Amino acid sequence: MQILNGKEAAQAIKDSLKIKVAQLASQGKEVPHLAAILVGNNGASETYVAAKVKACEEVGFKSTLIRAEENITAQKLLETIRELNSDPDVDGILVQLPLPKHISEDEVINAIDPGKDVDGFHPSNVGRMVLGQSTFVPATPYGIMLLLEHYKVETKGKHAVVIGRSNIVGRPMSILLSGNSNPGNCTVTLCHSHTPNLKELCLEADIIVAALGRAEFVTAHMVKDGAVVIDVGITRVEDATKKSGFKLKGDVAYDEVAPKCSFITPVPGGVGPMTIAALMKNTFKSCAQKHYEEAEGE
Ligand code: GUN
């Protein structure tokens, strides 16, 4: 069993971006600039956005964090997005999800300039991804693809079972793994809450991507020997022994599943850091497309 160390792979990506950014800066060129909007005080969202801003600092990007009150009107939020859309200094815009109930996430996502939509959530970017065209691929599935690539995990011809059909992870993951690419070329089964024979399907899987958001849902009796297991879950579970009062649990019962796997991601330190690294790559790509025709967009 080999651990897919997301922290290490993400660091390699960030190190390479840092070198590219330092080169641009030394030539007096624009460095990438990510603007993040955080609405309200959701603890998990605070942590994620802080990690994104910190990663920007690490690689030498500019970042702007715009905080809005929980009760901000949709109109005001859309106005903020329009300002960022028309600001030539901003390369990437992300609005941290979830948003408060009174704001339509669809309306907000649709308002972001697709050329700055580094989350890859805008319908035109999702469409481009489905068609296999160059686009911003959503950071979590993109990060997983980068992790599989980093560790040279063979995916061609494999049966991948993706659990969870969210727009952020499961659905794009199913599209990427089924794509004519490397990693990719999998036969994909996308499972969700109405899938009756989940255990049987998982037992047939060469690759399992668990992205349903239920702590330790995938147990050893659902995993065949030699499977690759990717754990996207990050549920906060109360733990009085921790300073924060909680610990992070994945969607996979790691201790019992890991011995059966050929590869497995830990939580934390697996998919999470890769998501951030993928976002940094998207932001660099946005800046490169805008400012340097010759730079590779990857
Ligand atoms: N909430 C959970 N994951 C994500 C993400 O990748 N991007 C944004 N904007 N919000 C999220």
Side-chain angles (χ1 to χ4, degrees):
M1 184 271 293
Q2 187 177 359
I3 290 174
L4 298 171
N5 186 333
K7 221 171 143 183
E8 218 170 87
Q11 195 59 52
I13 291 167
K14 287 189 289 181
D15 287 347
S16 139
L17 283 174
K18 190 173 174 175
I19 292 168
K20 289 187 193 178
V21 174
Q23 277 169 354
L24 295 174
S26 72
Q27 294 161 5
K29 291 186 177 167
E30 299 284 339
V31 301
H33 181 184
L34 176 68
I37 303 177
L38 175 59
V39 180
N41 306 299
N42 177 300
S45 291
E46 294 259 2
T47 308
Y48 302 148
V49 171
K52 292 170 187 182
V53 168
K54 182 167 163 266
C56 284
E57 276 169 28
E58 251 182 88
V59 296
F61 292 0
K62 286 197 276 184
S63 69
T64 302
L65 172 57
I66 299 167
R67 304 188 71 111
E69 297 289 337
E70 181 85 16
N71 63 359
I72 187 175
T73 63
Q75 197 189 359
K76 181 79 187 71
L77 182 56
L78 294 172
E79 214 175 282
T80 305
I81 291 169
R82 280 193 284 269
E83 279 166 21
L84 295 172
N85 283 345
S86 56
D87 184 343
D89 186 49
V90 170
D91 301 296
I93 302 169
L94 79 81
V95 180
Q96 188 65 27
L97 303 178
L99 289 171
K101 293 245 177 321
H102 68 280
I103 297 175
S104 154
E105 289 186 354
D106 282 350
E107 198 178 358
V108 166
I109 288 166
N110 291 357
I112 297 171
D113 175 351
K116 297 187 179 187
D117 168 39
V118 286
D119 263 329
F121 294 164
H122 189 283
S124 50
N125 286 326
V126 176
R128 294 180 67 87
M129 178 190 61
V130 172
L131 297 170
Q133 298 174 9
S134 171
T135 185
F136 300 117
V137 174
T140 300
Y142 184 23
I144 292 169
M145 297 296 273
L146 292 169
L147 189 61
L148 294 169
E149 188 181 9
H150 183 88
Y151 282 95
K152 300 186 170 55
V153 176
E154 182 61 76
T155 60
K156 188 167 67 180
K158 305 288 185 192
H159 180 201
V161 167
V162 178
I163 315 173
R165 58 178 160 184
S166 73
N167 290 340
I168 294 180
V169 187
R171 193 171 300 280
M173 189 79 255
S174 71
I175 291 160
L176 294 171
L177 285 173
S178 63
N180 186 2
S181 57
N182 183 25
N185 284 311
C186 290
T187 304
V188 177
T189 305
L190 181 55
C191 301
H192 46 75
S193 50
H194 294 278
T195 302
N197 53 339
L198 187 64
K199 181 189 160 206
E200 289 72 23
L201 289 166
C202 284
L203 276 172
E204 285 174 17
D206 304 305
I207 300 169
I208 295 176
V209 180
L212 72 161
R214 275 177 55 184
E216 300 188 326
F217 178 85
V218 176
T219 50
H221 76 288
M222 298 167 74
V223 178
K224 81 171 174 188
D225 281 330
V228 177
V229 174
I230 309 290
D231 189 348
V232 184
I234 26 160
T235 303
R236 291 178 169 201
V237 175
E238 269 184 41
D239 184 342
T241 68
K242 300 273 176 194
K243 212 168 86 186
S244 59
F246 64 84
K247 71 173 172 191
L248 294 178
K249 287 257 185 211
D251 286 354
V252 176
Y254 184 89
D255 290 344
E256 62 178 66
V257 170
K260 300 184 88 174
C261 297
S262 55
F263 296 94
I264 186 166
T265 62
V267 176
V271 173
M274 293 307 294
T275 296
I276 308 267
L279 175 69
M280 296 300 110
K281 273 180 82 81
N282 278 346
T283 306
F284 185 87
K285 174 174 170 157
S286 177
C287 178
Q289 282 175 344
K290 251 193 255 105
H291 298 294
Y292 334 109
E293 312 269 87
E294 76 280 10
E296 86 276 34
E298 285 174 69

